[in-house]
Amino acid sequence: MKTIPELQISSLLKNRGLRLAVAESCTGGLISHRITNIPGSSDYFLGGVISYANEAKQAWLEVCEDTLQSAGAVSGETVLAMALGVRNSLRGVYPVPSILGLAVSGIAGPGGGSAAKPVGLVWVGLSAPDGGWAWKFQFSGDRLDIKDYAAEEALQILLVYLQQGYPRPGWDMAAA
């Protein structure tokens, strides 16, 4: 039987008094959808920003234009900025140390890829009170497969962080 990480995430966030905010690009709201499928998610889920265009990343998540120009929208630097930006977006309403920010950006295809950044390339970022991290993945499949894989990995990253208190080891991680 397949495990559903969002069920465990729900319990862990509630038990710790933490809240979650999500910034999604290539997943287009799929992570938020999965989180809100869990009854009681309004106790810990603050919301999500779908920032598909670079302009949305800049305006809503405060991702610097320089970051987007130098590293690109699909990069560790950008997902870290997105994750921090979504955490900070509610800083006047909730204490930032109680918010975790989860972000995803990638190339779901079938077009848009290049030799340097092929279709299926996805970055996941996590911003927490004790740091920020980014993970790089290369998925295969069609557009819907890539979106599903990206959402699943993002939720698994969050789950492992909540269970262990540190990022999942062994992944291509760039510490912030």
Side-chain angles (χ1 to χ4, degrees):
M1 183 171 162
K2 182 180 175 186
T3 61
I4 301 173
E6 48 270 30
L7 282 172
Q8 293 172 285
I9 288 167
S10 172
S11 295
L12 291 165
L13 288 170
K14 284 193 245 185
N15 290 342
R16 294 195 176 125
L18 295 172
R19 298 181 180 269
L20 176 64
V22 177
E24 301 184 64
S25 186
C26 69
T27 50
L30 184 56
I31 296 167
S32 298
H33 170 75
R34 287 182 58 177
I35 291 289
T36 58
N37 281 341
I38 305 302
S41 58
S42 60
D43 292 341
Y44 56 87
F45 184 62
L46 297 174
V49 173
I50 300 170
S51 56
Y52 211 67
N54 284 352
E55 295 82 5
K57 290 173 180 67
Q58 290 175 276
W60 298 336
L61 301 171
E62 299 179 353
V63 177
C64 294
E65 183 178 1
D66 290 345
T67 300
L68 291 165
Q69 291 296 320
S70 63
V74 181
S75 66
E77 295 88 344
T78 295
V79 293
L80 285 170
M82 290 169 64
L84 181 59
V86 78
R87 274 184 77 212
N88 286 334
S89 68
L90 294 163
R91 65 183 160 255
V93 181
Y94 297 98
V96 175
S98 70
I99 303 171
L100 300 177
L102 186 64
V104 178
S105 188
I107 305 167
S114 67
K117 294 186 178 185
V119 169
L121 176 65
V122 174
W123 281 88
V124 176
L126 176 65
S127 177
D130 57 339
W133 304 271
W135 292 264
K136 180 181 177 182
F137 298 93
Q138 183 62 55
F139 301 120
S140 60
D142 66 20
R143 183 176 185 79
L144 296 179
D145 290 336
I146 291 166
K147 289 174 67 170
D148 283 338
Y149 296 145
E152 180 68 22
E153 287 297 341
L155 290 168
Q156 289 294 336
I157 285 169
L158 179 60
L159 177 59
V160 170
Y161 175 81
L162 290 167
Q163 289 173 329
Q164 299 177 4
Y166 55 86
R168 184 174 177 176
W171 292 4
D172 185 12
M173 184 172 62

